[in-house]
Each structure stands twice: as structure tokens, then as C-alpha cells.
Amino acid sequence: MADTLLFQLVSPERLLVETQVTEVQIPAREGYIGVLPGHAPLLSELAAGGVLTYNAAGQTKVLAIYGGFVEVLPDRVRVLADMAQPKEEIDLSAAQAELKTAQKEVDNIQAGAADPAVALDQAMRAQAKVDAATKQ
């Protein structure tokens, strides 16, 4: 079994990552998936918002991702994200303000002032940004 696997992360805008990694943690729809070299094949939908981490060359990298799909094969992982942002590109204060606004929208669901699906999606995406930006 190889010590690394190829990790590719693509969004509609760009190729964000293409590198050899030792491990990937992926926020799938039903929970996080940990992938090591030699993992059994699988295909899964990604969570609406979550934090993806991977280990490459002894460093852990962090990204916020929002929806999409992941394909896992024994020698590679492909993430096709609706949107993704590396930790370094996230403005924490803007993300926190976005989360506060999204939480107000979630609070307005019961009053009928907000679409539940849109409000919850915005809250999950904003929370993913904050989580990624603050992850060590």
C-alpha cells in the first residue's frame, strides 16, 4: 500500500488543490469521512457547509467547502465542491458578521419571514467559514 494518495479539490471557478496527501477529512452529508491511502471506493454527497482538512508534506491545510460530491478510490480522492475557500482567503470578521446575519434569518423562520431552506443553508455556510478560519 502506498504512503500517499492524490487529492484533487475543484470548484466551478478553479482547481484549488492537486497534491499528494497522507490523509483527508471530508465533511460528507451524513458526517465526516476520514480517508487514508488504500481506502475502499465510495461516492458521497458533501455537507452543505463544512471544514475539509488534509495533510500534505507534514502540514495540515484547511478549507471551508459548501456542497458538492466526493469520489474516493484507493489511490485518489476527488472533491467536486459547489464552492470552496482556503483558510487563508477567509476574512474572519466578515465571516462572523455573515454568521450573525444568517443566525437572525434562522430565528425569523418561525415568524414566516425567512425561507427555511435558504436560511439554514446560509447559516451552515457561514458557520463553515468561521470554523475553517479559526481551526488550528
Side-chain angles (χ1 to χ4, degrees):
M1 179 169 75
D3 292 340
T4 63
L5 53 93
L6 178 63
F7 172 57
Q8 298 170 309
L9 182 118
V10 179
S11 73
E13 295 85 28
R14 62 187 169 148
L15 172 67
L16 285 120
V17 179
E18 185 169 31
T19 189
Q20 292 292 320
V21 301
T22 56
E23 177 185 9
V24 183
Q25 294 287 325
I26 304 161
R29 184 169 184 183
E30 300 299 323
Y32 276 81
I33 299 171
V35 180
L36 298 170
H39 195 286
L42 71 86
L43 184 63
S44 179
E45 188 175 355
L46 296 174
V51 177
L52 181 146
T53 61
Y54 65 93
N55 295 322
Q59 293 186 333
T60 300
K61 301 290 185 174
V62 178
L63 297 102
I65 62 170
Y66 322 106
F69 295 90
V70 60
E71 174 192 41
V72 177
L73 297 170
D75 64 342
R76 80 181 54 117
V77 175
R78 284 191 191 113
V79 174
L80 306 172
D82 294 339
M83 281 181 44
Q85 289 181 285
K87 174 181 178 174
E88 299 77 23
E89 295 179 10
I90 298 171
D91 177 346
L92 180 57
S93 60
Q96 289 170 329
E98 185 178 329
L99 179 58
K100 186 177 256 187
T101 300
Q103 287 171 332
K104 286 180 185 174
E105 285 298 308
V106 169
D107 292 342
N108 290 332
I109 290 173
Q110 288 187 334
D115 180 330
V118 172
L120 291 172
D121 187 61
Q122 289 173 340
M124 285 192 291
R125 288 175 185 237
Q127 185 67 57
K129 282 183 188 179
V130 170
D131 290 347
T134 58
K135 189 163 182 83
Q136 295 298 321

